[in-house]
Each structure stands twice: as structure tokens, then as C-alpha cells.
Amino acid sequence: MNNLGILSAAVMVALSAPSALAKVSEAEAAKLGTELTPMGAVRAANADGSIPAWDGGIKSAVAGYEKGMHHPDPFSQDKIEFTITNANKDKYKANLSEGQMKLFELYPDTYKMNVYQTRRTASVPQFVYDATKANATRAELVSEGNGVKGASIGVPFPMPQNGLEVIWNHVLRFRGVDVETARSQAAPTAGGSYTLVETSEEIRFQYARPEMTLDKLNATNTLFYFKQVVTQPARLAGTALLVKETMDQEALPRQAWTYNTGQRRVRKAPNVAFDTPGSVSDGLRTTDDFDMFNGSPVRYNWELIGKQEVYIPYNDYKLHSDKLEYDQIVHPGHINPEFVRWEKHRVWVVKAQLKEGMRHIYKTRTFYIDEDSWQVSLADMYDNRDELYRVAVAHGLNYYEVPTHWSTLEVFHDLQSRRYLAMGLDNEGRMYNFDAKLSEANFTPAALRRAGIR
């Protein structure tokens, strides 16, 4: 792929070496908030100005917005600057992933990318910026990269020195504190028919709480609690999952439980990890595909390739709108491209190679992580034959009442079956509640059983 190498070969070697695990100095950390953004991105515009300088992102809600609403588009007047199709994709291939190029080839008559003006809207609360700067000089990988210590609230490595640090930034990025969601997913057949699966989810982010301290994190070793209950269709309703995610996965691996409505029992579920098929996903994603990547990174060697300018979904408020119905979005082969906004952004590129002796259906994974938010925006997954197997796309926007940049929809394309999973549909449902008050009592096996009973 073109344009990957903004880092020299010598630096690349250093980034992969164990010695690169050293903490950032105070002098280097001082660049955060000056030449770098508070999250570690390059503040300046790119050479030709197609990526503007970061000016703080979205700082307040759009006029007329009230909590509980779907988020009005701050840029509804923006026009499409150009459209990438199968016919002209080679002109733009320097700024496309291999997975994007493949989607053009598979769907030459229907897949396209409408490209808009780039707007660097990512922002988080000031306490997260403050914590990120503090983390820069004290955070470190532990357990051979299978955990992090010395960090809380903000991203641990705003000036990353290797691929593991970048992927932990994605895992630990700020997404609110207590969140309730009601989301749906669709796995259409090749012909486009689908059954909607509706879920209710609760997340308590221990790591991100404003009052969180390093001592508390060390004592509890807890990153977040997650509970998911299927509410529709009737044959699946009541199926439930509970996850306690840990900071140091070597000291204590992820803890998970499931509730089965047929057995009416809660069971410990140690296999809810890695390449176990994702719950109610029709086999179209793995467990560690959720949120584009989650869980322990232990099965892979992580290589930091560098930075690249790539077209990624951004400010996808049109796709998020409650004026749309799911049938308008879910089409055969891929979601309706008319509602997707693509912008050029700088991304970190990280390549994950399966370690010798480890097992996973993905031998290689390439992640494209937005420099402003640390959200994985694109992921290309390869099978054991080194052939492109799946392509994942996260459609992000700024939830400006928090604020935080997070996805509104994640799409997982299975290139072999010509099917995809659209996960996170919320157009016809209620909006995320970032003001939820969730206690640890919400996330016990007993609470899971109560939630699962129809």
C-alpha cells in the first residue's frame, strides 16, 4: 500500500523492539496540548490542507438538541466533494485500505464512497485530557503487553512507541462513564432479507470514572462491566451476557457469564473471548471483533507500521438519523452508501500477526486507528491462507453532550459469503443514555438472571 511510510526503517525497528516500552519523558509530554493535541494527535493541518488543523473539536451541542434526541447533523449543509467508485478507485488507492479496494471489486455497480470536507470534531471532557497528560509519563505495559498499569481515565499512551500501545489506547479510550443503549443488528442474506435482533446493553466504565485513582484500579483490576440482553426476536429474547473486563489479563483473564432462557441458568463462560463467534452474530464476527477490537492482545505480535492519510467514515450523523428506517440502510451486499460520509483523516496503522503456536481464525489483522479519538475506524482481517477474509468499518461521530467520539454503527463484511453484519442500528430506537447511574450491583450473575427472565 502506498503512503504508509512516514516513519523511517530505523524508527520502525525501534518501535518493534522491547526497549521501546520506556515511558515518555516530561519534556516529550509537554508537547501534548501544544504541537500535539491533548490526545496526542498532530495538531497541524497536513501538507495540502485537505486535513485541517485540530481546533478543539466539537465543544458544545448543536442548537436545538436536547438529551435523549438523536443527534442533529452539525454539517447538514456540507456538499459531496467527490465520489470514489470501482471505476476511479485506482486514483485514490494511496488513501484506501486493501479492504476498501476489495469492496469496490466485489460490488462494482453499487458500492461507492461519497467524500466530504474533513472536519476534526473529536473531543472529550477536560478531565480526560488532564488524565491523558498524566498517563503519558507513568503508564506502562505489563505482563508482556497483556495489561497496563500507571494509567487511569485517559488514554495511557498518547505518544505511542509500539503497536501494543496503540491498540491499548483504542481499548482504553474514553466513551463516557455509565452508558445504557438499545441497539439492533441485522445480518442480511445475499438477497437482502434479514431478521432484526434487538438488544439492551449497560456499560459501567470503571477505568473512566472521574474519581478513579491508580490505587483503586490496582486493587480491583477492572476496566469495565458490560451486560447485554436480547429483547427481540421472541425466540432469542432473554438470552443474556455479562462481562467483567480486566486491566491486567495475565493476572486475571476476562470474567464472563451467560444466561440461557431454555435452561434458566447462569453459567460461567470462559470462552467468551478471542475468535469465539460473537453472540447472535450469525457467525459473521468474532467475540474480539466487538468494538472493532476488544479483550486480550496476547495471541498476536503487534507491529506499528506508522501513520497514513485514509478515507474513513466520520461525522456520520446522516447515517445516525432517526429520520431513517432500517430498510433504507440495510441493502444487499453492503449498507446504503448514500447515507455514509467519508472524510480523509490521519490514522495510525497497526498490523497484528498471529503468534506461533497460537490459534485464531484471523492470521493477520490490519487496524486503522483515528489519531484524534483512538477509535479503530477500519480493520482488514486475513485468514490462514493469507487471503482477505473480512473487512470491518466503524461509522463514527461526536456524541456532543458528553462529548466523545464513538461509533454509531459497525459493519462486518464477510467476503467469502458475500454477507455482512450491521451492528448498532439505533435509528428506530431510543438514543444512548450517557447519564445512566449504574452500580456494580447491576453487574452480578444474579442481576444477569433477573435481566434474562422474560
Side-chain angles (χ1 to χ4, degrees):
M1 196 186 324
N2 297 328
N3 236 18
L4 273 177
I6 69 162
L7 302 177
S8 69
V11 172
M12 292 293 294
V13 172
L15 290 174
S16 302
S19 61
L21 301 181
K23 301 172 188 175
V24 171
S25 68
E26 292 282 356
E28 286 294 300
K31 296 177 181 178
L32 296 170
T34 54
E35 63 184 88
L36 301 178
T37 73
M39 297 291 278
V42 175
R43 182 185 287 270
N46 67 345
D48 65 6
S50 56
I51 299 174
W54 184 79
D55 63 359
I58 294 182
K59 304 179 184 67
S60 60
V62 172
Y65 169 79
E66 295 180 4
K67 287 186 178 182
M69 294 173 57
H70 281 66
H71 300 72
D73 187 352
F75 314 115
S76 59
Q77 301 304 309
D78 285 2
K79 304 298 183 184
I80 298 171
E81 294 192 341
F82 58 90
T83 299
I84 306 174
T85 67
N86 186 58
N88 67 1
K89 67 180 184 298
D90 287 344
K91 177 180 177 182
Y92 302 100
K93 66 180 180 180
N95 306 112
L96 298 171
S97 74
E98 291 185 19
Q100 290 171 315
M101 293 289 285
K102 189 66 175 180
L103 290 174
F104 284 119
E105 294 175 15
L106 288 179
Y107 308 104
D109 299 323
T110 57
Y111 189 75
K112 64 180 182 179
M113 294 168 54
N114 291 329
V115 180
Y116 292 77
Q117 173 185 350
T118 296
R119 295 185 179 274
R120 296 176 68 181
T121 51
S123 59
V124 293
Q126 185 61 47
F127 75 90
V128 181
Y129 292 140
D130 295 341
T132 297
K133 190 165 187 177
N135 291 341
T137 58
R138 67 189 186 194
E140 58 185 315
L141 298 172
V142 296
S143 302
E144 297 184 353
N146 206 21
V148 175
K149 72 173 185 179
S152 65
I153 304 171
V155 296
F157 309 109
M159 306 170 76
Q161 301 175 65
N162 55 69
L164 264 173
E165 291 185 348
V166 172
I167 208 67
W168 273 109
N169 282 350
H170 164 77
V171 171
L172 297 178
R173 73 199 189 283
F174 180 80
R175 286 159 284 172
V177 178
D178 291 322
V179 187
E180 291 178 335
T181 73
R183 309 193 303 164
S184 299
Q185 62 186 44
T189 65
S193 62
Y194 65 92
T195 298
L196 201 69
V197 176
E198 300 177 8
T199 62
S200 175
E201 298 173 357
E202 297 177 343
I203 315 172
R204 177 182 165 96
F205 290 103
Q206 296 290 93
Y207 176 89
R209 311 190 79 76
E211 71 276 12
M212 187 51 61
T213 66
L214 298 183
D215 287 342
K216 288 180 182 178
L217 280 174
N218 288 337
T220 63
N221 191 23
T222 303
L223 169 56
F224 62 76
Y225 296 98
F226 172 81
K227 184 169 66 183
Q228 179 189 72
V229 181
V230 178
T231 56
Q232 292 288 341
R235 62 183 174 84
L236 297 174
T239 303
L241 170 68
L242 172 65
V243 173
K244 176 185 176 182
E245 190 71 308
T246 55
M247 288 279 293
D248 185 340
Q249 298 255 338
E250 187 72 21
L252 179 66
R254 164 186 291 169
Q255 307 291 291
W257 298 261
T258 58
Y259 177 77
N260 183 286
T261 55
Q263 298 175 338
R264 302 182 73 84
R265 292 182 62 184
V266 173
R267 291 183 178 274
K268 197 80 179 287
N271 292 329
V272 177
F274 302 113
D275 60 353
T276 301
S279 58
V280 292
S281 68
D282 218 8
L284 294 173
R285 69 166 178 86
T286 62
T287 294
D288 62 8
D289 277 330
F290 190 91
D291 193 36
M292 302 297 280
F293 181 81
N294 73 90
S296 168
V298 72
R299 294 192 180 183
Y300 290 92
N301 291 313
W302 298 83
E303 179 186 2
L304 181 57
I305 303 298
K307 273 193 181 176
Q308 185 185 357
E309 296 176 3
V310 175
Y311 295 112
I312 60 176
Y314 223 89
N315 296 309
D316 251 332
Y317 293 96
K318 185 186 294 186
L319 182 64
H320 168 81
S321 172
D322 59 352
K323 304 299 188 293
L324 293 179
E325 297 179 352
Y326 297 143
D327 284 347
Q328 294 176 272
I329 297 171
V330 181
H331 282 192
H334 51 78
I335 65 171
N336 190 337
E338 296 296 347
F339 302 124
V340 180
R341 177 181 177 126
W342 297 87
E343 300 179 0
K344 185 195 289 184
H345 285 261
R346 283 184 292 243
V347 299
W348 291 97
V349 182
V350 174
K351 185 176 183 180
Q353 290 272 22
L354 191 63
K355 291 178 180 177
E356 186 175 353
M358 290 290 187
R359 178 193 167 279
H360 201 289
I361 64 170
Y362 303 146
K363 179 181 177 181
T364 307
R365 307 163 87 156
T366 305
F367 296 95
Y368 300 82
I369 300 101
D370 171 40
E371 70 166 346
D372 287 330
S373 64
W374 298 103
Q375 165 79 54
V376 173
S377 297
L378 304 171
D380 295 342
M381 285 80 84
Y382 299 80
D383 62 21
N384 289 319
R385 300 168 297 173
D386 296 317
E387 293 184 4
L388 194 59
Y389 179 14
R390 289 177 178 164
V391 178
V393 183
H395 297 267
L397 55 83
N398 188 316
Y399 293 86
Y400 34 69
E401 76 273 32
V402 184
T404 184
H405 178 97
W406 200 1
S407 60
T408 181
L409 182 66
E410 295 173 4
V411 181
F412 300 89
H413 295 270
D414 188 296
L415 306 184
Q416 297 175 2
S417 66
R418 302 288 186 95
R419 296 183 63 200
Y420 69 92
L421 175 70
M423 190 172 69
L425 293 161
D426 55 23
N427 309 75
E428 298 180 29
R430 59 184 171 87
M431 190 31 51
Y432 291 17
N433 175 15
F434 288 95
D435 289 332
K437 303 300 180 186
L438 303 174
S439 71
E440 294 182 39
N442 291 75
F443 301 94
T444 64
L448 183 70
R449 186 178 188 280
R450 290 193 298 272
I453 294 174
R454 299 188 228 185

